[in-house]
Amino acid sequence: MSKSGFKTSPCTQYLCPAKILILEIFHIFLRLKFSLSAILGAIEGFITTFKGNRQLVVGLKYCGGCNPNYDRVALVAYLRQRLAGQIVFVRYDQPEAEMILAVEGCPTACADLASFEHLPVFIIKRPSEAEEFIMYVENRLNEQSAE
Amino acid sequence: MMTPQQYEESLRKLNLEVYMFGKRVQNVVDDPIIRPSMNAVAKTYEMAQRPEYEDIMTVKSHVTGKRINRFTHIHQNVDDLVKKSKMGRLMGRATGCCFQRCVGMDALNALSIVTFDIDKAKGADYYKRFIKYLTYVQENDLVCDGAMTDPKGNRGLAPHQQADPDLFLHVVEERKDGIVVRGAKAHQTGAVNSHEIIVMPTIAMRAEDKDYAVSFALPADTKGIIYIMGRQSCDTRKLEEGLLDRGNAVFGGHEALVVFDNVFVPWERVFMYKEYEFAGSLVENFASYHRQSYACKVGVGDVLIGAAQTAAEYNGAEKASHVKDKIIEMNHLNETLYCGCISCASEGHREPSGTYVVDKLLANVHKQNVTRFPYEISRLAQDIAGGLMVTMPAEDDFKAPATGKWLEKYYAGNCDVPTLNRMRILRLIENLTLGTAAVGYLTESMHGAGSPQAQRIMIARLANLGEKKKAAKTLAGIDE
């Protein structure tokens, strides 16, 4: 028995070196069988993530909330729930943010968005606009998976 | 920026000389009478840490480029001024009381203008000193008490004419390394929750009063500074075990008389020294900023309106047309106040130092409204609440078996609402309209940042009657 637990062919001692090499590669392949499966799985997951179920990284920016018409934090919690697995919220100043969601408490929409000129910005000013954001995210992810 | 916990710990390191009820307060932070006011200031730190408020509560420093608490910021544009007003409403609503930190912000902004102007006129170096001090305040996220109001003695006499020269804070000695000052500052909001005290003169001055034309900043626990706490209506309820009778169990404000008993000030902390001709400008700029700061009363008004509406619902009276109309009137008055603080900010302008200042006429009009409307809003809240808010028994009576069953039975309102909740909302209305918080919501609205007459003098000065007469005469066909 070899150390790896695979049986060595009894006739290998009579085979030419090239054949021995081929067999050894085969044995190595068998040894790595499960590892390769895992690697393939990871590759598949990688492809799925970036093609199919890819998550959108959204920088979250609130207005200051001086006199909001609705509960902005509750709305974001709702979005987290509705878009679970589809988006990841990060702070607005994180470099991985692919877009900005500005949650404004009223139509005045006074949050300072000046530093986000390089990113798409979706602005929510009232709760009903949450559904538009959900559609926006789903459309965007669908477009990206189709590419 | 500091967290609320770090702020609390920083206060524990101060060695303040504080007196209350005739005794020295050994542990200021944990004193049950003072603690709610510390909680209110701590809230300014907490809100700055929360993403849903940071757009108002924080800003980029024009000095260091770092993100700082807005309460330490020098306004760099109109948006900064508008956000300051919004911050006042936000904090007033979050605490239901005076959160004490605006006065230091207003002192810093006023000094940023006036130190620059003095330097320009006299070739001094106050502005450089001031910016160094400002950087220290911003970097350490400090609370500053803006101390302007002198005791003033005989109001008909100038500072130098007073029988007791200490009735206005003044310089008593000039040394190589600094100055020695003596006097007092009255009604100092949040004084014992502050790391620093910024002193300013209280009125415009003439040459005879030059020893009184002094502005400086000191650590709050500097030797010779003594704090004597002011009383508040219902303050000793905070010593009782229960929470219900306090109305607002978490937050509150405080005022103190701050005595300066021959206190040394090093030159690097002096921002005005005998430049009496700039005392008026410092007072006027500070007063204008601080009159804007009464945006906080809009936030407290939000709480009172919410309490009145809730009380109406708990009483089962919310559908009565007169109750609805009273709530509308309360909102009308409160939003009128908001109009004032937003408009004076929106019409702000840049001073030579680069600091933006509010429109002074509109700031004074705003504050003049503040001296009136909270009283009417309070009257309407008490009208809606009913007499029970001042006749209901103590929390202990609700807990006691012998009396609790009767109070539960006879003080029930809307049967869907627990009786205790009805008591809670009535106690909050009591707190805001005649309890500890009424100090801030009513009398401070009257006299804080200048009594009503002070605003009327400014309105008379700034209203530009000449242009108004010209418009009228033109339309009337008068050609003079």
Side-chain angles (χ1 to χ4, degrees):
Chain A
M1 292 278 284
S2 70
K3 283 182 187 174
S4 65
F6 286 98
K7 261 187 177 176
T8 308
S9 167
C11 58
T12 47
Q13 56 189 308
Y14 307 110
L15 296 174
C16 69
K19 284 184 179 176
I20 290 170
L21 181 65
I22 290 166
L23 280 170
E24 279 304 318
I25 289 171
F26 178 66
H27 288 158
I28 290 167
F29 173 75
L30 287 175
R31 283 177 210 141
L32 293 175
K33 184 181 162 190
F34 295 104
S35 301
L36 281 170
S37 298
I39 291 165
L40 287 171
I43 292 168
E44 188 183 349
F46 183 77
I47 292 166
T48 304
T49 301
F50 280 86
K51 283 280 190 181
N53 297 327
R54 180 182 174 281
Q55 290 188 315
L56 189 64
V57 182
V58 179
L60 181 59
K61 172 73 179 173
Y62 288 99
C63 71
C66 67
N67 190 26
N69 291 336
Y70 64 97
D71 187 336
R72 297 163 304 141
V73 177
L75 180 130
V76 170
Y78 169 75
L79 290 175
R80 273 186 216 281
Q81 188 198 340
R82 280 287 304 273
L83 293 168
Q86 293 174 277
I87 62 168
V88 177
F89 280 122
V90 296
R91 266 187 64 90
Y92 60 83
D93 51 6
Q94 294 302 299
E96 62 265 36
E98 298 168 83
M99 65 166 293
I100 298 295
L101 172 65
V103 182
E104 312 266 12
C106 73
T108 305
C110 69
D112 182 2
L113 305 177
S115 58
F116 307 129
E117 282 171 0
H118 61 294
L119 287 173
V121 178
F122 193 100
I123 300 174
I124 290 179
K125 298 177 195 169
R126 51 185 68 83
S128 60
E129 289 168 352
E131 295 305 320
E132 290 170 36
F133 176 68
I134 290 166
M135 282 173 59
Y136 171 84
V137 169
E138 287 174 346
N139 287 340
R140 188 161 162 180
L141 288 171
N142 286 338
E143 281 167 16
Q144 287 178 346
S145 65
E147 284 169 4
Chain B
M1 291 184 291
M2 276 199 277
T3 64
Q5 294 76 22
Q6 288 168 332
Y7 164 63
E8 184 178 330
E9 287 312 307
S10 69
L11 288 186
R12 289 184 194 284
K13 289 174 189 159
L14 296 177
N15 181 28
L16 302 178
E17 190 176 344
V18 181
Y19 296 89
M20 187 166 57
F21 299 125
K23 291 177 188 161
R24 174 112 187 232
V25 180
Q26 298 298 337
N27 181 350
V28 177
V29 174
D30 296 316
D31 185 278
I33 300 271
I34 300 171
R35 177 80 197 190
S37 70
M38 196 284 290
N39 290 341
V41 183
K43 193 75 177 167
T44 68
Y45 288 91
E46 187 218 314
M47 301 276 274
Q49 304 277 335
R50 291 168 62 172
E52 65 268 33
Y53 301 118
E54 71 171 23
D55 197 68
I56 280 181
M57 296 299 299
T58 69
V59 63
K60 202 163 108 176
S61 165
H62 77 293
V63 181
T64 64
K66 294 179 189 169
R67 190 147 281 273
I68 55 169
N69 194 302
R70 190 177 292 278
F71 281 106
T72 66
H73 183 51
I74 300 300
H75 314 301
Q76 295 299 298
N77 48 52
V78 163
D79 190 51
D80 278 346
L81 290 171
V82 171
K83 283 191 170 165
K84 179 200 162 190
S85 288
K86 292 183 175 188
M87 179 169 69
R89 184 173 198 168
L90 174 67
M91 288 304 310
R93 186 190 289 201
T95 59
C97 68
C98 171
F99 40 86
Q100 309 144 56
R101 213 175 163 184
C102 61
V103 68
M105 169 178 53
D106 296 335
L108 291 170
N109 276 274
L111 278 169
S112 77
I113 293 171
V114 176
T115 52
F116 187 90
D117 291 347
I118 298 174
D119 287 2
K120 200 174 165 192
K122 303 211 156 194
D125 68 343
Y126 290 122
Y127 186 69
K128 198 171 144 193
R129 279 184 206 175
F130 170 75
I131 291 296
K132 191 177 170 194
Y133 176 70
L134 174 73
T135 307
Y136 167 72
V137 169
Q138 290 184 346
E139 291 285 276
N140 293 284
D141 199 7
L142 300 179
V143 177
C144 301
D145 170 26
M148 176 166 277
T149 309
D150 289 281
K152 296 196 284 281
N154 183 334
R155 271 61 174 170
L157 299 176
H160 74 281
Q161 295 170 322
Q162 297 287 333
D164 182 344
D166 299 343
L167 288 168
F168 286 78
L169 188 142
H170 60 118
V171 181
V172 292
E173 188 186 342
E174 182 181 322
R175 295 182 189 168
K176 209 172 183 180
D177 52 351
I179 56 174
V180 177
V181 297
R182 189 163 64 228
K185 293 289 179 180
H187 326 304
Q188 289 309 296
T189 299
V192 307
N193 293 328
S194 302
H195 304 100
E196 292 275 323
I197 300 187
I198 302 173
V199 168
M200 299 162 284
T202 201
I203 51 171
M205 290 175 183
R206 286 178 291 186
E208 301 90 327
D209 296 318
K210 66 179 189 305
D211 286 347
Y212 297 84
V214 61
S215 177
F216 56 86
L218 283 173
D221 58 353
T222 300
K223 189 172 179 294
I225 301 180
I226 299 149
Y227 303 84
I228 306 168
M229 300 296 292
R231 287 214 69 169
Q232 294 182 332
S233 168
C234 309
D235 52 7
T236 50
R237 286 192 193 183
K238 295 178 207 169
L239 301 176
E240 296 169 11
E241 199 177 312
L243 299 176
L244 192 152
D245 290 346
R246 299 182 200 184
N248 183 344
V250 180
F251 301 114
H254 79 244
E255 279 76 30
L257 175 71
V258 183
V259 177
F260 292 77
D261 183 21
N262 295 314
V263 177
F264 174 73
V265 188
W267 283 120
E268 63 266 24
R269 290 296 198 100
V270 177
F271 307 128
M272 175 186 285
Y273 183 65
K274 299 189 179 183
E275 290 87 3
Y276 62 90
E277 61 271 49
F278 289 90
S281 170
L282 184 52
V283 173
E284 191 177 302
N285 280 295
F286 171 78
S288 298
Y289 280 127
H290 206 40
R291 286 166 194 174
Q292 174 204 15
S293 285
Y294 277 66
C296 62
K297 306 307 177 203
V298 182
V300 181
D302 286 334
V303 175
L304 186 53
I305 293 167
Q309 176 66 30
T310 304
E313 290 170 12
Y314 286 2
N315 291 345
E318 78 277 15
K319 289 180 183 157
S321 61
H322 72 95
V323 170
K324 285 184 186 171
D325 193 55
K326 282 162 189 160
I327 295 287
I328 290 167
E329 179 64 6
M330 292 167 83
N331 277 300
H332 163 238
L333 294 168
N334 204 45
E335 298 302 337
T336 304
L337 293 181
Y338 194 50
C339 292
C341 65
I342 290 293
S343 68
C344 70
S346 303
E347 294 290 297
H349 67 269
R350 188 180 189 274
E351 286 289 311
S353 67
T355 304
Y356 272 68
V357 68
V358 291
D359 180 285
K360 290 175 183 171
L361 172 62
L362 296 178
N364 278 278
V365 168
H366 165 60
K367 176 60 194 10
Q368 181 79 176
N369 287 338
V370 173
T371 66
R372 300 173 182 173
F373 295 177
Y375 286 89
E376 179 62 4
I377 294 169
S378 295
R379 189 185 72 78
L380 291 165
Q382 291 192 356
D383 182 348
I384 291 168
L388 185 56
M389 61 168 266
V390 291
T391 64
M392 78 168 98
E395 181 179 3
D396 284 346
D397 293 312
F398 280 86
K399 288 178 183 167
T403 49
K405 61 186 177 186
W406 301 118
L407 298 178
E408 280 287 341
K409 177 182 170 69
Y410 289 114
Y411 284 154
N414 181 336
C415 62
D416 295 332
V417 177
T419 305
L420 271 181
N421 283 359
R422 188 168 173 235
M423 302 304 111
R424 284 191 177 98
I425 207 72
L426 294 178
R427 283 290 183 218
L428 178 60
I429 295 172
E430 181 198 34
N431 169 264
L432 287 163
T433 62
L434 50 80
T436 52
V439 173
Y441 188 55
L442 297 179
T443 315
E444 187 184 288
S445 290
M446 175 73 83
H447 293 293
S451 302
Q453 192 58 24
Q455 291 112 55
R456 298 187 82 78
I457 291 166
M458 287 299 289
I459 291 167
R461 247 181 64 197
L462 298 168
N464 197 353
L465 276 178
E467 282 301 305
K468 289 175 172 56
K469 282 197 297 182
K470 196 170 142 191
K473 286 175 182 173
T474 301
L475 289 174
I478 299 169
D479 186 14
E480 290 180 333

